[in-house]
Amino acid sequence: MTDYGDFTANPEGASTNGAEAEREYRTGPVTLRGKRVPKTTTDQRLLDNVGRADWLHTDPWRVMRIQSEFVEGFGALAELGPAISVFGSARSKPGSHEYDLAEEVGRRAVEMGYAVITGGGPGSMEAANKGALEAGGSSVGLGIELPFEQGLNRYVELGVNFRYFFARKTMFVKYAQGFIVLPGGFGTLDELFEAITLVQTRKVTKFPIVLLGTDFWQGLLDWVQGTLLEAGTISPKDVCLVQVTDDPAEAVRLVHEAERVTDAAAKPAERPE
């Protein structure tokens, strides 16, 4: 046999069919023979392809985009330092009670030595970024590609835009010491319950979750403590995975104090059956 790079051939091929059957093409661990052998090399297909761009929408290419989002996010946030992720409604208007609360949370977080991470959008996210930036701290926005929101708010000092929710969610948890959650809608609830699940299943440890706004959250807490607990779908310890307050300063303090508790006191509840 004579070896020609990835191709091997039989120099004594008695017939065309016989020679074709002897040809081999190796790509990594895969070996192709006979009619499976491509007619062109990988370089040729790369350089000669000037046709359709359907490959841009295939799963293998999406995997590369997903990988790039993690790489960019990790690189941008790796040296951020201690941070708190703040969530809340994109619909909170400047001058509203929720907007003012979020702005104070941002300011108080910076005063306690934390950067502030938000979803980078308007409303409560904008307010928290504003409070952090005006207090002289780091203001981070992790944006998401949506058809009805236009870019990052003007108070974001360091912004990263994501195509995929799951990549963005990883950054919220990985680079924060805790969550402070203001009144919000489905997106806020999504982030809240994902964080609770991560703590409940011990995917993350020592991760405080603070709800800001007793009147807003009390109905949900009553349902959790009543319906879920009574139905046996959560354990009694799971009820303690979140704390609630009306004071922005206390919300930041609760996150700060959670960093100092002992491992035994901070250990999350057992996963339910």
Side-chain angles (χ1 to χ4, degrees):
M1 299 288 286
T2 302
D3 192 346
Y4 298 98
D6 283 340
F7 289 91
T8 59
N10 180 2
E12 302 175 357
S15 67
T16 302
N17 289 340
E20 193 68 25
E22 292 284 342
R23 296 178 69 237
E24 257 186 21
Y25 180 82
R26 294 188 299 274
T27 171
V30 178
T31 297
L32 303 174
R33 290 180 177 144
K35 64 181 180 181
R36 296 283 186 178
V37 176
K39 304 300 182 183
T40 58
T41 68
T42 303
D43 278 347
Q44 285 174 322
R45 292 192 296 276
L46 172 66
L47 299 175
D48 288 346
N49 184 10
V50 293
R52 299 174 63 181
D54 293 348
W55 54 272
L56 282 171
H57 309 290
T58 62
D59 285 343
W61 190 252
R62 288 190 182 100
V63 170
M64 297 298 291
R65 287 203 302 260
I66 292 167
Q67 179 181 351
S68 73
E69 292 205 346
F70 280 106
V71 170
E72 291 294 338
F74 292 160
L77 301 176
E79 298 180 349
L80 181 63
I84 296 175
S85 289
V86 180
F87 300 97
S89 176
R91 304 184 185 191
S92 300
K93 303 297 183 184
S96 68
H97 178 61
E98 291 78 13
Y99 192 98
D100 292 342
L101 277 179
E103 189 173 345
E104 186 173 354
V105 165
R107 179 172 60 82
R108 295 279 187 174
V110 169
E111 291 173 352
M112 290 290 288
Y114 294 100
V116 170
I117 304 173
T118 78
S124 294
M125 294 176 281
E126 174 187 290
N129 286 133
K130 179 183 179 184
L133 188 66
E134 293 184 348
S138 294
S139 174
V140 179
L142 306 180
I144 185 70
E145 182 182 79
L146 294 174
F148 48 81
E149 286 191 11
Q150 299 179 352
L152 299 171
N153 69 68
R154 61 195 177 105
Y155 299 105
V156 169
E157 180 186 41
L158 170 61
V160 185
N161 281 298
F162 293 85
R163 288 186 178 92
Y164 302 100
F165 271 112
F166 55 85
R168 178 182 185 237
K169 288 176 177 179
T170 299
M171 306 303 156
F172 281 131
V173 176
K174 179 173 175 58
Y175 293 102
Q177 272 57 54
F179 281 3
I180 295 178
V181 189
L182 288 99
F186 287 145
T188 301
L189 292 173
D190 176 52
E191 297 291 354
L192 169 61
F193 279 103
E194 178 141 0
I196 292 174
T197 302
L198 290 173
V199 176
Q200 180 199 54
T201 57
R202 300 187 183 181
K203 292 294 186 180
V204 295
T205 58
K206 295 184 181 179
F207 197 83
I209 303 165
V210 183
L211 306 180
L212 189 57
T214 303
D215 289 343
F216 182 87
W217 293 111
Q218 193 59 54
L220 176 64
L221 295 175
D222 290 342
W223 179 73
V224 169
Q225 295 169 0
T227 302
L228 296 186
L229 190 58
E230 289 176 5
T233 57
I234 63 172
S235 72
K237 291 183 178 180
D238 292 337
V239 176
C240 302
L241 295 180
V242 298
Q243 298 170 283
V244 62
T245 181
D246 290 311
D247 183 3
E250 184 182 10
V252 175
R253 180 180 57 78
L254 289 170
V255 173
H256 183 67
E257 288 181 351
E259 295 186 77
R260 303 188 174 199
V261 298
T262 64
D263 289 344
K267 190 174 295 184
E270 296 179 358
R271 184 175 182 172
E273 297 296 331

